[in-house]
Amino acid sequence: MLVLVAPGQGAQKPGFLTPWLDLPGVSERLTWWSAVSGLDLIHYGTKADEEEIRDTAVAQPLLVAAGLVAAHALFGEGGEGATGLAELPNRIGAVAGHSVGEITAAVASGVLTDEAAMVLVRRRGLAMAEAASRSETGMAAILGGERDDVVAHLDKHGLTPANVNGAGQIVAAGTAEQLAALAEDKPEGVRRVVPLKVAGAFHTDHMAPAVAALEALVAGVPVADPRTRYVSNRDGGVVATGAGVIERLVAQVSNPVRWDLCMETFQELGVTGLIEVAPGGTLTGIAKRALPGVTNVALKTPDDLATARALIEEHAVPVDTPAEEELREA
């Protein structure tokens, strides 16, 4: 069984969209999504420097657009449905995204249209940037240590394990003072505490204002139920309804990302292959350590599409959308 995953913030690099513009229809699609989101995605994906695309309000729409470009290129146009990804549920057994990548996954599963996703992610990025500006907060990667020991140590300092990624990766988030204290008092077995170049403490209570802003928006967003399994960052659960997906997308802004539990669900579902949409590399890197024996393909440029299509032919089986009683929605 194949899983399609989408990366989160930090995966972007200057110029990473440039090779994708050589594919038919990509420039036109990005121009349309730029109009929808109010952001020049072609400029930011091809000409902007590292500092410009680090901006949360820019990075989030850019990442979702890149993931959708790659998904459309992989599965092609045509068929029923507004997303043009009608063939995906027949080939992919589950989808998931890391943090903002969950919005990409929502389109891939048929919950959101491309346009709704671009409106939602632009508002998400702006709201999170605004929330981050209210106080000096940040995030730091913790290298080494045992998960339970690290989490207990973070709690002592008032920090949140904002990303629990599996394969020994935990990201702490909190105030600048709390992170400075952590750097001076590392958990047992931890080699390094590495500050991350992000605007604030994402996936913590510091993002509560962004949650309120998104709750005011999503009541009118048109949604459909997932056409393939949608695995949530909240707890690795498979979500049965479009309304459930949207509720979790909003709440997840101020709650930790449990990518470790998503990978546990992949294993329970019998994953044999994993494809990461553009800008691929981060999640396949984690999977290589946490999911031994699973074949991975990262879509970094269009040159990777042939390898991904070969993986689909080898591992994909037709997947019926599971009945609701079979889903593990919390």
Side-chain angles (χ1 to χ4, degrees):
M1 185 202 77
L2 277 174
V3 172
L4 188 79
V5 298
Q9 199 165 331
Q12 72 277 9
K13 296 179 181 179
F16 76 102
L17 270 181
T18 300
W20 293 96
L21 287 165
D22 292 334
L23 298 182
V26 169
S27 178
E28 291 81 358
R29 185 177 292 117
L30 288 171
T31 298
W32 171 235
W33 294 343
S34 294
V36 170
S37 64
L39 195 70
D40 189 343
L41 296 166
I42 294 177
H43 165 76
Y44 284 110
T46 61
K47 297 180 180 179
D49 62 25
E50 184 177 2
E51 192 65 29
E52 289 180 276
I53 62 174
R54 187 182 295 142
D55 179 354
T56 298
V58 171
Q60 293 192 22
L62 189 59
L63 285 163
V64 170
L68 294 180
V69 162
H72 279 290
L74 184 59
F75 291 97
E77 300 291 332
E80 298 296 326
T83 68
L85 298 174
E87 181 62 19
L88 188 150
N90 297 323
R91 314 297 281 164
I92 299 296
V95 299
H98 190 285
S99 188
V100 72
E102 287 203 291
I103 295 179
T104 312
V107 178
S109 66
V111 172
L112 293 172
T113 64
D114 293 339
E115 291 80 5
M118 294 311 302
V119 171
L120 178 58
V121 72
R122 176 61 166 159
R123 186 68 186 111
R124 184 185 192 269
L126 288 168
M128 291 177 71
E130 167 62 23
S133 72
R134 299 189 179 194
S135 58
E136 189 178 359
T137 60
M139 306 177 80
I142 299 172
L143 308 181
E146 294 295 326
R147 178 189 173 278
D148 291 345
D149 294 340
V150 170
V151 171
H153 197 82
L154 296 183
D155 184 64
K156 183 180 80 170
H157 286 288
L159 289 158
T160 299
N163 296 167
V164 183
N165 290 331
Q169 290 192 16
I170 295 178
V171 175
T175 67
E177 292 80 9
Q178 291 167 336
L179 291 168
L182 175 66
E184 294 296 323
D185 177 30
K186 296 189 289 291
E188 183 178 354
V190 168
R191 302 187 305 278
R192 295 175 62 200
V193 175
V194 182
L196 300 181
K197 295 178 180 179
V198 296
F202 304 139
H203 300 292
T204 72
D205 289 342
H206 294 281
M207 291 293 109
V211 173
L214 290 175
E215 285 176 340
L217 172 69
V218 298
V221 174
V223 300
D225 291 339
R227 295 179 295 134
T228 193
R229 297 177 185 88
Y230 180 97
V231 181
S232 169
N233 282 183
R234 179 189 291 176
D235 53 11
V238 178
V239 187
T241 67
V245 170
I246 294 300
E247 183 275 325
R248 287 179 176 231
L249 282 175
V250 172
Q252 199 64 46
V253 167
S254 63
N255 283 281
V257 172
R258 293 302 306 270
W259 191 250
D260 59 331
L261 298 181
C262 291
M263 291 191 296
E264 287 182 14
T265 298
F266 300 162
Q267 288 181 306
E268 293 170 8
L269 293 172
V271 60
T272 58
L274 182 146
I275 298 172
E276 182 181 4
V277 296
T282 303
L283 300 180
T284 49
I286 296 172
K288 286 174 183 176
R289 298 186 294 276
L291 298 173
V294 173
T295 305
N296 301 289
V297 174
L299 293 176
K300 299 179 180 181
T301 74
D303 291 341
D304 300 311
L305 288 168
T307 303
R309 289 174 181 135
L311 185 70
I312 290 172
E313 291 304 313
E314 182 179 355
H315 289 262
V317 294
V319 178
D320 294 328
T321 302
E324 186 163 345
E325 61 268 19
E326 294 177 342
L327 302 177
R328 302 191 300 108
E329 182 173 17

